[in-house]
Amino acid sequence: QAEIQKNAAVEQLAVFEPICSAIGIYNSLDEKSRAATKNIFRTVSPDGFISCGVQRDSLANLWDYGRTLAAYGSEDCLKIDQLFGYFVSLYNITFEQPVYTLIEPQKGERFDEDVHVCMTRGKRISVVSGVLLRGYRINGKTVNKALVK
């Protein structure tokens, strides 16, 4: 009986792991980044964090802030990318067909200017060596290209 209850509790906790992880990522942002995203995440409660993050305007603003961080070489852009991916997945749950599709380049992939933006200053690349911020499409139309190095 105790083992069954323990397993049920573990299953219930697993449901909350993604939101706990996302809040942990947000809290690990530097103070400047947390302050800059206050217009997106207006409250720190889990419910408020989710409801603010999944709004379409919030998704666009979060990605735009990630682009700014990538341009300045901040490692927080990688955390913003993780948050963006999380909120895109939540947003897409509410639709029969996903509205957002992430552009997810892989290391070693050929650089393609149709879906990639090179973020190495003054240097051209032919192969992706890293991803700073995934791009995205809305209903199949590319809105923002992936930022790569």
Side-chain angles (χ1 to χ4, degrees):
Q1 183 72 3
E3 188 66 27
I4 292 171
Q5 288 177 330
K6 177 186 167 196
N7 290 341
V10 168
E11 286 178 25
Q12 288 176 338
L13 286 174
V15 170
F16 295 101
E17 194 283 324
I19 184 60
C20 291
S21 178
I23 290 172
I25 291 166
Y26 175 77
N27 287 331
S28 75
L29 292 169
D30 68 31
E31 189 176 323
K32 185 177 178 184
S33 291
R34 281 194 316 275
T37 57
K38 286 289 186 200
N39 66 329
I40 298 170
F41 304 110
R42 295 177 195 95
T43 178
V44 294
S45 73
D47 290 345
F49 185 71
I50 292 170
S51 62
C52 290
V54 298
Q55 295 182 36
R56 199 170 185 157
D57 286 346
S58 294
L59 287 168
N61 290 336
L62 187 61
W63 195 93
D64 287 343
Y65 184 63
R67 175 178 44 207
T68 299
L69 292 173
Y72 287 106
S74 171
E75 291 294 316
D76 270 358
C77 73
L78 300 172
K79 295 174 184 177
I80 294 295
D81 179 69
Q82 289 178 295
L83 290 172
F84 184 75
Y86 171 71
F87 286 115
V88 161
S89 69
L90 288 182
Y91 185 88
N92 281 338
I93 287 172
T94 63
F95 297 92
E96 201 169 294
Q97 293 290 324
V99 173
Y100 282 79
T101 307
L102 294 175
I103 299 170
E104 303 189 70
Q106 303 299 311
K107 283 184 178 180
E109 183 178 311
R110 183 182 62 81
F111 178 80
D112 179 354
E113 65 184 27
D114 289 332
V115 292
H116 304 142
V117 173
C118 177
M119 297 300 288
T120 55
R121 293 192 172 111
K123 196 164 107 177
R124 297 189 67 146
I125 62 170
S126 58
V127 175
V128 173
S129 65
V131 180
L132 301 173
L133 185 63
R134 290 171 290 180
Y136 65 96
R137 296 179 178 96
I138 296 179
N139 295 321
K141 182 182 183 295
T142 300
V143 176
N144 282 303
K145 300 174 184 180
L147 307 182
V148 300
K149 57 183 180 174

